[in-house]
Amino acid sequence: MPSVVTRFAPSPTGLLHLGSAYSALVAWDRAREAGGRFLVRIEDTDIRRCRREYETAILQDLKWLGLDWDGEVRRQSDHFSDYGHELDRLGRRDLVYPCFCSRAEITREITASASAPHGSSQGRAMGPDGPLYPGTCRHLTPAERKRRIAAGREFCMRVDSARAAAAAGPYDFVDEGRGRIAGQPLLMGDFVIARKDTPTSYHLAVTVDDHLQGVTLVTRGEDILPSTHVHVLLQRLLGYATPLYAHHGLIMDAGGRRLAKRDQATGIRSLRESGKTPADVFKLIRAGLEPGGPKA
Ligand code: GLU
């Protein structure tokens, strides 16, 4: 039985706030109570939105809270070749394709297919974050793909979700609080697996890293549960083991709204500067989980 390995994987697009500190605390607690390992990973694949200053500040705030981690911090932007390598493996099996669409073109396509009386059902399909990609570039011929790439057109890479689902076969995963969950490989449609500017996306990097780092228990907010369906799909396709999952409840503000990174008042930094102690912060976290309490 491998010992428990958990991780906290913030994206440095803002400062640590009560919500993300709670995520870190859950992962830290689970590792420490089992005598396991707690890892910290910086998920900075979105190179335009991530900032080194936020990374430094997040690590300082974790230390101040007493959430000490094991080993080196892994920064995803230092490991693009690992993700590129795994992307190539999927490419060789024809499970991904280049997509040349701009955001505006995708919106136009979705609007057109929604208003067409006999539009394709894929065009109108909804995902957890809104309408799914209508699959426009999936239909391009290999010659047309080559021609556009040779012409210098920008592209991202998408998973051909129907082919990927067929290749993976039925699968499931276990969430500690919810039990066994049947995998839904089509939930996010043909999702982006590599962005236009990097050879990866959040979904690929998180899956590769959890595997490479030997993570056995993924603790994360329940808002990310839809993504878990495609992460387990990728684990199947890439031959990785599937960890145990624990999707926890989210911290709410007094008005019952989810906390946002831009909300200064709930930033760990400003709480600290206003004289609060780590114990006060943990008290605030507990208060933010009431009345529903953590669901995992
Ligand atoms: N990097 C993600 C975020 O900050 C979390 C990743 C995860 O827990 O898998 O929202």
Side-chain angles (χ1 to χ4, degrees), residues 7-13 20 23 41-43 76 202 206 210 218-221 223-224 231 261:
R7 82 317 190 260
F8 173 54
S11 303
T13 54
S20 41
S23 258
R41 184 169 76 221
I42 298 295
E43 301 210 319
Q76 292 187 323
Y202 158 65
V206 89
D210 284 342
V218 173
T219 58
R220 51 164 59 141
D223 54 327
I224 315 183
H231 299 171
K261 282 187 188 175

PDB file of all heavy atoms in Angstrom, residues 7-13 20 23 41-43 76 202 206 210 218-221 223-224 231 261, ligand 1:
ATOM      1  N   ARG A   7      -1.338  16.832  -2.737  1.00  0.00           N
ATOM      2  CA  ARG A   7      -0.679  18.027  -3.272  1.00  0.00           C
ATOM      3  C   ARG A   7      -1.622  19.212  -3.235  1.00  0.00           C
ATOM      4  O   ARG A   7      -2.849  19.071  -3.252  1.00  0.00           O
ATOM      5  CB  ARG A   7      -0.121  17.766  -4.669  1.00  0.00           C
ATOM      6  CG  ARG A   7      -1.001  17.834  -5.897  1.00  0.00           C
ATOM      7  CD  ARG A   7      -2.326  17.238  -5.841  1.00  0.00           C
ATOM      8  NE  ARG A   7      -2.990  17.162  -7.111  1.00  0.00           N
ATOM      9  CZ  ARG A   7      -3.944  18.015  -7.549  1.00  0.00           C
ATOM     10  NH1 ARG A   7      -4.332  19.012  -6.800  1.00  0.00           N
ATOM     11  NH2 ARG A   7      -4.493  17.841  -8.728  1.00  0.00           N
ATOM     12  N   PHE A   8      -1.015  20.385  -3.154  1.00  0.00           N
ATOM     13  CA  PHE A   8      -1.751  21.644  -3.323  1.00  0.00           C
ATOM     14  C   PHE A   8      -1.174  22.244  -4.592  1.00  0.00           C
ATOM     15  O   PHE A   8       0.041  22.356  -4.728  1.00  0.00           O
ATOM     16  CB  PHE A   8      -1.530  22.556  -2.111  1.00  0.00           C
ATOM     17  CG  PHE A   8      -2.119  23.930  -2.282  1.00  0.00           C
ATOM     18  CD1 PHE A   8      -3.451  24.092  -2.627  1.00  0.00           C
ATOM     19  CD2 PHE A   8      -1.336  25.076  -2.091  1.00  0.00           C
ATOM     20  CE1 PHE A   8      -4.004  25.359  -2.792  1.00  0.00           C
ATOM     21  CE2 PHE A   8      -1.883  26.340  -2.250  1.00  0.00           C
ATOM     22  CZ  PHE A   8      -3.212  26.477  -2.598  1.00  0.00           C
ATOM     23  N   ALA A   9      -2.057  22.593  -5.538  1.00  0.00           N
ATOM     24  CA  ALA A   9      -1.577  22.973  -6.872  1.00  0.00           C
ATOM     25  C   ALA A   9      -2.150  24.315  -7.319  1.00  0.00           C
ATOM     26  O   ALA A   9      -2.987  24.377  -8.214  1.00  0.00           O
ATOM     27  CB  ALA A   9      -1.941  21.867  -7.865  1.00  0.00           C
ATOM     28  N   PRO A  10      -1.724  25.403  -6.682  1.00  0.00           N
ATOM     29  CA  PRO A  10      -2.315  26.701  -7.045  1.00  0.00           C
ATOM     30  C   PRO A  10      -1.826  27.223  -8.396  1.00  0.00           C
ATOM     31  O   PRO A  10      -0.710  26.932  -8.810  1.00  0.00           O
ATOM     32  CB  PRO A  10      -1.810  27.620  -5.924  1.00  0.00           C
ATOM     33  CG  PRO A  10      -0.510  27.026  -5.507  1.00  0.00           C
ATOM     34  CD  PRO A  10      -0.679  25.533  -5.648  1.00  0.00           C
ATOM     35  N   SER A  11      -2.692  27.987  -9.059  1.00  0.00           N
ATOM     36  CA  SER A  11      -2.281  28.728 -10.254  1.00  0.00           C
ATOM     37  C   SER A  11      -1.934  30.127  -9.771  1.00  0.00           C
ATOM     38  O   SER A  11      -2.779  30.781  -9.156  1.00  0.00           O
ATOM     39  CB  SER A  11      -3.423  28.800 -11.264  1.00  0.00           C
ATOM     40  OG  SER A  11      -3.830  27.498 -11.584  1.00  0.00           O
ATOM     41  N   PRO A  12      -0.729  30.600 -10.033  1.00  0.00           N
ATOM     42  CA  PRO A  12      -0.337  31.921  -9.497  1.00  0.00           C
ATOM     43  C   PRO A  12      -0.915  33.083 -10.311  1.00  0.00           C
ATOM     44  O   PRO A  12      -0.200  33.880 -10.891  1.00  0.00           O
ATOM     45  CB  PRO A  12       1.191  31.877  -9.545  1.00  0.00           C
ATOM     46  CG  PRO A  12       1.509  30.922 -10.649  1.00  0.00           C
ATOM     47  CD  PRO A  12       0.378  29.940 -10.736  1.00  0.00           C
ATOM     48  N   THR A  13      -2.255  33.149 -10.325  1.00  0.00           N
ATOM     49  CA  THR A  13      -2.926  34.253 -11.013  1.00  0.00           C
ATOM     50  C   THR A  13      -3.467  35.245  -9.992  1.00  0.00           C
ATOM     51  O   THR A  13      -4.181  36.178 -10.343  1.00  0.00           O
ATOM     52  CB  THR A  13      -4.097  33.727 -11.880  1.00  0.00           C
ATOM     53  OG1 THR A  13      -4.953  32.946 -11.033  1.00  0.00           O
ATOM     54  CG2 THR A  13      -3.606  32.851 -13.015  1.00  0.00           C
ATOM     55  N   SER A  20      -8.489  29.137  -1.278  1.00  0.00           N
ATOM     56  CA  SER A  20      -7.343  28.317  -1.680  1.00  0.00           C
ATOM     57  C   SER A  20      -6.563  27.840  -0.455  1.00  0.00           C
ATOM     58  O   SER A  20      -6.008  26.734  -0.453  1.00  0.00           O
ATOM     59  CB  SER A  20      -6.454  29.060  -2.679  1.00  0.00           C
ATOM     60  OG  SER A  20      -6.284  30.407  -2.344  1.00  0.00           O
ATOM     61  N   SER A  23      -8.141  24.686   0.626  1.00  0.00           N
ATOM     62  CA  SER A  23      -7.702  23.562  -0.221  1.00  0.00           C
ATOM     63  C   SER A  23      -6.341  23.044   0.233  1.00  0.00           C
ATOM     64  O   SER A  23      -6.112  21.836   0.308  1.00  0.00           O
ATOM     65  CB  SER A  23      -7.540  24.042  -1.661  1.00  0.00           C
ATOM     66  OG  SER A  23      -8.628  23.657  -2.418  1.00  0.00           O
ATOM     67  N   ARG A  41       2.703  22.328  -5.901  1.00  0.00           N
ATOM     68  CA  ARG A  41       3.004  22.433  -7.330  1.00  0.00           C
ATOM     69  C   ARG A  41       2.426  23.734  -7.866  1.00  0.00           C
ATOM     70  O   ARG A  41       1.274  24.069  -7.585  1.00  0.00           O
ATOM     71  CB  ARG A  41       2.354  21.235  -8.025  1.00  0.00           C
ATOM     72  CG  ARG A  41       2.660  21.173  -9.481  1.00  0.00           C
ATOM     73  CD  ARG A  41       2.227  19.839 -10.037  1.00  0.00           C
ATOM     74  NE  ARG A  41       0.794  19.738 -10.211  1.00  0.00           N
ATOM     75  CZ  ARG A  41       0.074  18.661  -9.921  1.00  0.00           C
ATOM     76  NH1 ARG A  41       0.622  17.582  -9.408  1.00  0.00           N
ATOM     77  NH2 ARG A  41      -1.209  18.654 -10.142  1.00  0.00           N
ATOM     78  N   ILE A  42       3.219  24.463  -8.601  1.00  0.00           N
ATOM     79  CA  ILE A  42       2.757  25.733  -9.159  1.00  0.00           C
ATOM     80  C   ILE A  42       2.248  25.483 -10.581  1.00  0.00           C
ATOM     81  O   ILE A  42       3.005  25.060 -11.465  1.00  0.00           O
ATOM     82  CB  ILE A  42       3.911  26.764  -9.166  1.00  0.00           C
ATOM     83  CG1 ILE A  42       4.378  27.050  -7.727  1.00  0.00           C
ATOM     84  CG2 ILE A  42       3.505  28.053  -9.883  1.00  0.00           C
ATOM     85  CD1 ILE A  42       3.351  27.720  -6.825  1.00  0.00           C
ATOM     86  N   GLU A  43       0.961  25.736 -10.797  1.00  0.00           N
ATOM     87  CA  GLU A  43       0.344  25.437 -12.095  1.00  0.00           C
ATOM     88  C   GLU A  43       0.285  26.718 -12.926  1.00  0.00           C
ATOM     89  O   GLU A  43      -0.718  27.430 -12.953  1.00  0.00           O
ATOM     90  CB  GLU A  43      -1.037  24.822 -11.873  1.00  0.00           C
ATOM     91  CG  GLU A  43      -0.914  23.557 -11.041  1.00  0.00           C
ATOM     92  CD  GLU A  43      -1.956  22.498 -11.310  1.00  0.00           C
ATOM     93  OE1 GLU A  43      -3.124  22.845 -11.494  1.00  0.00           O
ATOM     94  OE2 GLU A  43      -1.571  21.313 -11.334  1.00  0.00           O
ATOM     95  N   GLN A  76       5.228  24.057 -13.207  1.00  0.00           N
ATOM     96  CA  GLN A  76       4.897  23.407 -14.477  1.00  0.00           C
ATOM     97  C   GLN A  76       5.592  24.027 -15.684  1.00  0.00           C
ATOM     98  O   GLN A  76       5.945  23.321 -16.618  1.00  0.00           O
ATOM     99  CB  GLN A  76       3.376  23.392 -14.671  1.00  0.00           C
ATOM    100  CG  GLN A  76       2.712  22.459 -13.654  1.00  0.00           C
ATOM    101  CD  GLN A  76       1.247  22.248 -13.880  1.00  0.00           C
ATOM    102  OE1 GLN A  76       0.545  23.185 -14.274  1.00  0.00           O
ATOM    103  NE2 GLN A  76       0.756  21.058 -13.606  1.00  0.00           N
ATOM    104  N   TYR A 202      -4.110  22.949 -18.793  1.00  0.00           N
ATOM    105  CA  TYR A 202      -4.275  22.540 -17.392  1.00  0.00           C
ATOM    106  C   TYR A 202      -4.549  21.030 -17.306  1.00  0.00           C
ATOM    107  O   TYR A 202      -3.935  20.316 -16.513  1.00  0.00           O
ATOM    108  CB  TYR A 202      -5.423  23.359 -16.779  1.00  0.00           C
ATOM    109  CG  TYR A 202      -6.051  22.718 -15.565  1.00  0.00           C
ATOM    110  CD1 TYR A 202      -5.315  22.538 -14.399  1.00  0.00           C
ATOM    111  CD2 TYR A 202      -7.367  22.259 -15.597  1.00  0.00           C
ATOM    112  CE1 TYR A 202      -5.875  21.931 -13.289  1.00  0.00           C
ATOM    113  CE2 TYR A 202      -7.940  21.646 -14.494  1.00  0.00           C
ATOM    114  CZ  TYR A 202      -7.189  21.486 -13.344  1.00  0.00           C
ATOM    115  OH  TYR A 202      -7.750  20.868 -12.263  1.00  0.00           O
ATOM    116  N   VAL A 206      -1.873  18.638 -15.297  1.00  0.00           N
ATOM    117  CA  VAL A 206      -2.294  18.138 -13.983  1.00  0.00           C
ATOM    118  C   VAL A 206      -2.252  16.598 -13.975  1.00  0.00           C
ATOM    119  O   VAL A 206      -1.827  15.964 -13.001  1.00  0.00           O
ATOM    120  CB  VAL A 206      -3.694  18.713 -13.639  1.00  0.00           C
ATOM    121  CG1 VAL A 206      -4.822  17.862 -14.122  1.00  0.00           C
ATOM    122  CG2 VAL A 206      -3.862  18.975 -12.184  1.00  0.00           C
ATOM    123  N   ASP A 210       0.412  14.616 -11.624  1.00  0.00           N
ATOM    124  CA  ASP A 210      -0.076  13.760 -10.538  1.00  0.00           C
ATOM    125  C   ASP A 210       0.528  12.363 -10.697  1.00  0.00           C
ATOM    126  O   ASP A 210       0.868  11.711  -9.715  1.00  0.00           O
ATOM    127  CB  ASP A 210      -1.618  13.705 -10.521  1.00  0.00           C
ATOM    128  CG  ASP A 210      -2.233  14.971  -9.938  1.00  0.00           C
ATOM    129  OD1 ASP A 210      -1.515  15.731  -9.240  1.00  0.00           O
ATOM    130  OD2 ASP A 210      -3.430  15.232 -10.180  1.00  0.00           O
ATOM    131  N   VAL A 218      -6.038  13.015  -4.564  1.00  0.00           N
ATOM    132  CA  VAL A 218      -6.208  14.374  -5.099  1.00  0.00           C
ATOM    133  C   VAL A 218      -7.337  15.045  -4.328  1.00  0.00           C
ATOM    134  O   VAL A 218      -8.490  14.613  -4.400  1.00  0.00           O
ATOM    135  CB  VAL A 218      -6.535  14.345  -6.611  1.00  0.00           C
ATOM    136  CG1 VAL A 218      -6.887  15.743  -7.121  1.00  0.00           C
ATOM    137  CG2 VAL A 218      -5.369  13.770  -7.390  1.00  0.00           C
ATOM    138  N   THR A 219      -7.001  16.074  -3.567  1.00  0.00           N
ATOM    139  CA  THR A 219      -8.024  16.848  -2.858  1.00  0.00           C
ATOM    140  C   THR A 219      -8.164  18.157  -3.617  1.00  0.00           C
ATOM    141  O   THR A 219      -7.167  18.798  -3.954  1.00  0.00           O
ATOM    142  CB  THR A 219      -7.584  17.129  -1.410  1.00  0.00           C
ATOM    143  OG1 THR A 219      -6.340  17.834  -1.430  1.00  0.00           O
ATOM    144  CG2 THR A 219      -7.396  15.853  -0.624  1.00  0.00           C
ATOM    145  N   ARG A 220      -9.353  18.522  -3.948  1.00  0.00           N
ATOM    146  CA  ARG A 220      -9.581  19.752  -4.717  1.00  0.00           C
ATOM    147  C   ARG A 220     -11.030  20.198  -4.538  1.00  0.00           C
ATOM    148  O   ARG A 220     -11.879  19.401  -4.116  1.00  0.00           O
ATOM    149  CB  ARG A 220      -9.288  19.519  -6.203  1.00  0.00           C
ATOM    150  CG  ARG A 220      -9.992  18.321  -6.771  1.00  0.00           C
ATOM    151  CD  ARG A 220     -10.038  18.279  -8.291  1.00  0.00           C
ATOM    152  NE  ARG A 220      -8.758  18.288  -8.951  1.00  0.00           N
ATOM    153  CZ  ARG A 220      -8.472  17.577 -10.043  1.00  0.00           C
ATOM    154  NH1 ARG A 220      -9.394  16.796 -10.589  1.00  0.00           N
ATOM    155  NH2 ARG A 220      -7.310  17.666 -10.627  1.00  0.00           N
ATOM    156  N   GLY A 221     -11.305  21.438  -4.883  1.00  0.00           N
ATOM    157  CA  GLY A 221     -12.658  21.977  -4.724  1.00  0.00           C
ATOM    158  C   GLY A 221     -13.650  21.246  -5.617  1.00  0.00           C
ATOM    159  O   GLY A 221     -13.302  20.770  -6.695  1.00  0.00           O
ATOM    160  N   ASP A 223     -15.820  22.441  -7.383  1.00  0.00           N
ATOM    161  CA  ASP A 223     -16.016  23.143  -8.660  1.00  0.00           C
ATOM    162  C   ASP A 223     -15.185  22.495  -9.779  1.00  0.00           C
ATOM    163  O   ASP A 223     -15.481  22.683 -10.951  1.00  0.00           O
ATOM    164  CB  ASP A 223     -15.653  24.639  -8.520  1.00  0.00           C
ATOM    165  CG  ASP A 223     -14.256  24.862  -7.964  1.00  0.00           C
ATOM    166  OD1 ASP A 223     -13.791  24.051  -7.140  1.00  0.00           O
ATOM    167  OD2 ASP A 223     -13.611  25.857  -8.358  1.00  0.00           O
ATOM    168  N   ILE A 224     -14.153  21.726  -9.409  1.00  0.00           N
ATOM    169  CA  ILE A 224     -13.291  21.105 -10.435  1.00  0.00           C
ATOM    170  C   ILE A 224     -13.731  19.672 -10.738  1.00  0.00           C
ATOM    171  O   ILE A 224     -13.138  19.006 -11.582  1.00  0.00           O
ATOM    172  CB  ILE A 224     -11.787  21.139 -10.015  1.00  0.00           C
ATOM    173  CG1 ILE A 224     -11.386  22.500  -9.462  1.00  0.00           C
ATOM    174  CG2 ILE A 224     -10.869  20.828 -11.192  1.00  0.00           C
ATOM    175  CD1 ILE A 224      -9.917  22.618  -9.090  1.00  0.00           C
ATOM    176  N   HIS A 231      -9.669  14.073 -16.612  1.00  0.00           N
ATOM    177  CA  HIS A 231      -8.339  13.687 -16.117  1.00  0.00           C
ATOM    178  C   HIS A 231      -8.243  12.166 -16.015  1.00  0.00           C
ATOM    179  O   HIS A 231      -7.228  11.579 -16.381  1.00  0.00           O
ATOM    180  CB  HIS A 231      -8.057  14.333 -14.752  1.00  0.00           C
ATOM    181  CG  HIS A 231      -8.062  15.838 -14.818  1.00  0.00           C
ATOM    182  ND1 HIS A 231      -8.006  16.635 -13.716  1.00  0.00           N
ATOM    183  CD2 HIS A 231      -8.122  16.679 -15.882  1.00  0.00           C
ATOM    184  CE1 HIS A 231      -8.042  17.909 -14.090  1.00  0.00           C
ATOM    185  NE2 HIS A 231      -8.112  17.953 -15.402  1.00  0.00           N
ATOM    186  N   LYS A 261     -10.559  35.449  -6.121  1.00  0.00           N
ATOM    187  CA  LYS A 261      -9.190  35.889  -5.843  1.00  0.00           C
ATOM    188  C   LYS A 261      -9.084  37.414  -5.763  1.00  0.00           C
ATOM    189  O   LYS A 261      -8.256  37.956  -5.065  1.00  0.00           O
ATOM    190  CB  LYS A 261      -8.250  35.399  -6.946  1.00  0.00           C
ATOM    191  CG  LYS A 261      -7.888  33.936  -6.798  1.00  0.00           C
ATOM    192  CD  LYS A 261      -6.829  33.543  -7.805  1.00  0.00           C
ATOM    193  CE  LYS A 261      -6.637  32.029  -7.771  1.00  0.00           C
ATOM    194  NZ  LYS A 261      -5.728  31.511  -8.759  1.00  0.00           N
TER     195      LYS A 261
HETATM  196  N1  GLU B   1      -4.483  24.807 -10.435  1.00  0.00           N
HETATM  197  C1  GLU B   1      -5.875  24.622 -10.149  1.00  0.00           C
HETATM  198  C2  GLU B   1      -6.450  25.874  -9.531  1.00  0.00           C
HETATM  199  O1  GLU B   1      -5.712  26.688  -9.010  1.00  0.00           O
HETATM  200  C3  GLU B   1      -6.164  23.471  -9.216  1.00  0.00           C
HETATM  201  C4  GLU B   1      -5.707  22.204  -9.729  1.00  0.00           C
HETATM  202  C5  GLU B   1      -6.172  20.948  -9.064  1.00  0.00           C
HETATM  203  O2  GLU B   1      -6.428  20.878  -7.874  1.00  0.00           O
HETATM  204  O3  GLU B   1      -6.187  19.968  -9.748  1.00  0.00           O
HETATM  205  O4  GLU B   1      -7.632  26.039  -9.559  1.00  0.00           O
END
